[in-house]
Amino acid sequence: DADVTQTPRNRITKTGKRIMLECSQTKGHDRMYWYRQDPGLGLRLIYYSFDVKDINKGEISDGYSVSRQAQAKFSLSLESAIPNQTALYFCATMGVGQPQHFGDGTRLSIL
Amino acid sequence: AQSVAQPEDQVNVAEGNPLTVKCTYSVSGNPYLFWYVQYPNRGLQFLLKYITGDNLVKGSYGFEAEFNKSQTSFHLKKPSALVSDSALYFCAVRDLGSSNTGKLIFGQGTTLQVKP
């Protein structure tokens, strides 16, 4: 079983729709991160969380929101999707003194 | 501001030849540097890291990286490339800004193509 699970793996939706991407982990890590990947730009941080009461904006948080429902779950929402949010989205976790560990990603297309 | 640059979009190498994927960084203070690999339809997998100590760091799958402080570089290397090494490689630096958040700043990625 994957340590970091992202659902859905693929999603096509329309402009203006609300979308939620989910991430769950079995690693027991407190720290969780959401990134988006765009060709030629690498990965950019959207939000990160140290625990359920500690959520922080990353460098590109506009248009996104997150919810940390439990230590193991960290969801990313697009309240009103727009085409330039089409990207590959990754969730990652991190334990103390360890490198970040990534899920397999969600490919999101907004028409 | 801290940053990472990977100057090559793509690197082509023949199987069995040595490979180098380049990375340069800009940080204030001592850098924490990482290499990750991404295979198609998969997430990023950790290869190796440099925190302190020996400038030559060994990692997974036979990869190694050389930290060069004077050139602010952290190039990824492998003595003998395999076709299965073909993937997208990312260099990253840990953001040591206002607090120890663990945030990573990524380069733009380099596609490695190993031909038989």
Side-chain angles (χ1 to χ4, degrees), chain B residues 12-64:
Chain B
N12 298 309
V13 64
E15 187 174 34
N17 283 0
L19 69 88
T20 298
V21 182
K22 295 180 180 178
C23 172
T24 59
Y25 65 89
S26 174
V27 301
S28 53
N30 295 320
Y32 286 17
L33 295 158
F34 301 81
W35 275 102
Y36 284 84
V37 60
Q38 184 182 23
Y39 297 103
N41 300 312
R42 299 299 304 276
L44 278 68
Q45 297 178 30
F46 169 74
L47 281 178
L48 50 81
K49 67 179 178 182
Y50 172 84
I51 304 295
T52 187
D54 195 348
N55 289 343
L56 186 63
V57 179
K58 294 189 182 297
S60 305
Y61 312 122
F63 284 93
E64 57 191 24

Side-chain angles (χ1 to χ4, degrees), chain A residues 9 31 33 37 100 103-104, chain B residues 36 38 41-43 100-102:
Chain A
R9 292 294 315 278
R31 299 185 178 193
Y33 305 81
Q37 181 183 0
Q100 289 187 20
D104 283 339
Chain B
Y36 284 84
Q38 184 182 23
N41 300 312
R42 299 299 304 276
N100 186 14
T101 62

Side-chain angles (χ1 to χ4, degrees), chain A residues 31-80:
Chain A
R31 299 185 178 193
M32 297 187 75
Y33 305 81
W34 274 105
Y35 294 90
R36 67 176 278 176
Q37 181 183 0
D38 299 278
L41 294 179
L43 279 75
R44 292 177 292 166
L45 183 63
I46 306 172
Y47 270 95
Y48 61 101
S49 169
F50 290 163
D51 63 38
V52 295
K53 296 181 181 179
D54 187 351
I55 293 176
N56 305 276
K57 293 182 177 181
E59 61 179 306
I60 55 164
S61 59
D62 287 348
Y64 301 95
S65 62
V66 290
S67 173
R68 185 82 183 266
Q69 302 93 323
Q71 185 206 40
K73 295 184 182 295
F74 192 35
S75 301
L76 176 72
S77 294
L78 288 67
E79 296 301 326
S80 180

Side-chain angles (χ1 to χ4, degrees), chain A residues 72-111:
Chain A
K73 295 184 182 295
F74 192 35
S75 301
L76 176 72
S77 294
L78 288 67
E79 296 301 326
S80 180
I82 55 177
N84 74 1
Q85 292 178 312
T86 293
L88 190 52
Y89 289 84
F90 286 103
C91 174
T93 72
M94 192 177 83
V96 175
Q98 298 180 20
Q100 289 187 20
H101 188 90
F102 287 79
D104 283 339
T106 294
R107 188 171 297 277
L108 179 62
S109 296
I110 300 165
L111 306 178

